[in-house]
Amino acid sequence: MMVKQHYTVSFVTPAFLGDADQNGAWRTPPFKALLRQWWRVVAAKGNVQELRKAEGELFGNAADNDFCKSKIRLRLENWNRGKLNQLPAVSELICHEEVDLSNLPPDVRQHYYCAEHNAYHKVAASLYLGFGPVGTRGIRKAITPESDKKTGNQENRLLLAVPDKQNECFEVIIQLIHWFGTIGGRSRNGWGSLLLKVLKGGKLKGLEALNQSDSLLKGLAEPLEECLNLHWPQAFGKDDHGLLIWRSKQPHATWRQAMVELAKTKIAFRTALHFDPGRHHRIDQRHVLAYPVTHHNFSSWGNQSRLANQLRFKVTRTTEDYIGVAYHLPCGIPDELLNVLSKADRKWIVGQQLGVWQKVHGILDKQMQRI
């Protein structure tokens, strides 16, 4: 027996859901991937082999010796293309002391002058958080956020059908997506922040219910030290101050202002981890956050290795305001990246992880506030 539920999906920030031509368009695969992502958090019990087997049986498996169809059914009301192809001009330039634009022509570089540091190192928040989909000459076509009504096509209807015995699990997953879900290009930086609304019965808890005492969140959290021994993100981290989830100290009038805050926050914790000249061309503390790092590749990982950022952003909306959210799903550096390091570098970076993340969390405690 299948349990069906209908939702309205709307975006709070532009969503870069690429179609075959890399243009924004409503598509079901990113939504299925989002369900899988949070299913792994909710269902993270037992060993990895058992989890993979259960995931394949539920979401489908393409392996020749274990092929099975997905038991999850998804349908969007439309697959329309995104119509947003230009971000409105806003005052969103922020200081980034590692950016140097002094070589630009005088009439251009004047716009990037930072009086505080007497240097040309301002950067657009949208470009910093969305480089790739967002470029210096505009943006890739995107799904329009709710606040840009003039372009239309702000929302869609999503039908989700799951096996009856999985219904309770998916109710939790949907709540987590409503609180933390983002999809599409640069979604870990807050692009593609979405909200859900139940159309037929039931109700999702809003931002006011997102707090340290929430039983759902407490049941999905593990100590930071334990999470750093895991091979993939499967729980919210927690420390002596509580869950590693933050929100804006003050509400914002627009999603753009919320994104500016998140960009400033990311610059603050990344630049706090200065590269050590003594470790030139070697692994350093900032490599714990994500890889590659602009201007700081190193030979052991080269330019093809990837380490996804564990600290993720979302912009959510209340009745009147926009709020930035940050949360940490911690795990250790994957073995495939550790195994190519020298014994000394491997021991050094493993020993650095806890201290690096504690420093990042301290900066987040200053820039934002715990839920």
Side-chain angles (χ1 to χ4, degrees), residues 112-131:
Y112 302 99
Y113 178 72
C114 178
E116 180 182 356
H117 299 93
N118 189 29
Y120 298 94
H121 57 213
K122 283 192 173 182
V123 63
S126 58
L127 180 62
Y128 179 72
L129 291 179
F131 186 75

Side-chain angles (χ1 to χ4, degrees), residues 26-46:
W26 288 94
R27 302 172 64 247
T28 55
F31 287 92
K32 188 174 182 181
L34 185 64
L35 289 169
R36 294 179 82 131
Q37 171 193 325
W38 288 104
W39 178 87
R40 290 168 186 159
V41 173
V42 176
K45 299 176 180 63

Side-chain angles (χ1 to χ4, degrees), residues 4-215:
K4 297 180 181 180
Q5 189 57 272
H6 294 77
Y7 304 94
T8 295
V9 183
S10 60
F11 286 103
V12 186
T13 59
F16 303 109
L17 304 182
D19 60 13
D21 299 316
Q22 292 300 298
N23 289 314
W26 288 94
R27 302 172 64 247
T28 55
F31 287 92
K32 188 174 182 181
L34 185 64
L35 289 169
R36 294 179 82 131
Q37 171 193 325
W38 288 104
W39 178 87
R40 290 168 186 159
V41 173
V42 176
K45 299 176 180 63
N47 61 47
V48 175
Q49 288 73 23
E50 291 175 351
L51 188 73
R52 286 176 175 170
K53 185 176 185 296
E55 181 178 350
E57 291 173 350
L58 182 60
F59 287 94
N61 195 334
D64 292 336
N65 60 345
D66 196 25
F67 174 81
C68 63
K69 293 183 179 180
S70 173
K71 294 182 174 67
I72 307 300
R73 300 288 182 266
L74 283 175
R75 187 174 76 234
L76 284 169
E77 187 175 59
N78 68 70
W79 283 42
N80 294 339
R81 286 198 169 193
K83 299 178 181 179
L84 186 67
N85 57 17
Q86 183 176 357
L87 289 177
V90 292
S91 181
E92 60 167 6
L93 292 180
I94 54 180
C95 286
H96 190 326
E97 56 188 278
E98 295 180 358
V99 171
D100 181 10
L101 300 175
S102 58
N103 60 340
L104 293 176
D107 60 326
V108 177
R109 74 184 182 205
Q110 64 176 330
H111 301 293
Y112 302 99
Y113 178 72
C114 178
E116 180 182 356
H117 299 93
N118 189 29
Y120 298 94
H121 57 213
K122 283 192 173 182
V123 63
S126 58
L127 180 62
Y128 179 72
L129 291 179
F131 186 75
V134 180
T136 56
R137 298 183 180 180
I139 68 170
R140 183 188 302 163
K141 283 188 177 179
I143 304 295
T144 310
E146 186 274 342
S147 61
D148 289 305
K149 295 183 182 296
K150 62 183 180 180
T151 57
N153 191 35
Q154 288 83 48
E155 61 182 36
N156 209 330
R157 290 194 176 187
L158 175 70
L159 168 65
L160 173 64
V162 302
D164 179 64
K165 62 181 180 180
Q166 291 285 340
N167 186 50
E168 186 175 344
C169 174
F170 274 82
E171 286 181 349
V172 174
I173 291 169
I174 291 297
Q175 179 62 62
L176 292 172
I177 290 174
H178 183 62
W179 274 336
F180 305 107
T182 58
I183 57 176
R186 302 301 180 265
S187 58
R188 296 192 184 208
N189 282 346
W191 299 101
S193 294
L194 59 83
L195 294 177
L196 298 172
K197 180 179 179 181
V198 185
L199 289 179
K200 293 184 179 181
K203 187 178 180 180
L204 294 169
K205 292 185 286 187
L207 187 65
E208 71 285 347
L210 188 61
N211 56 66
Q212 292 280 346
S213 61
D214 183 83
S215 58

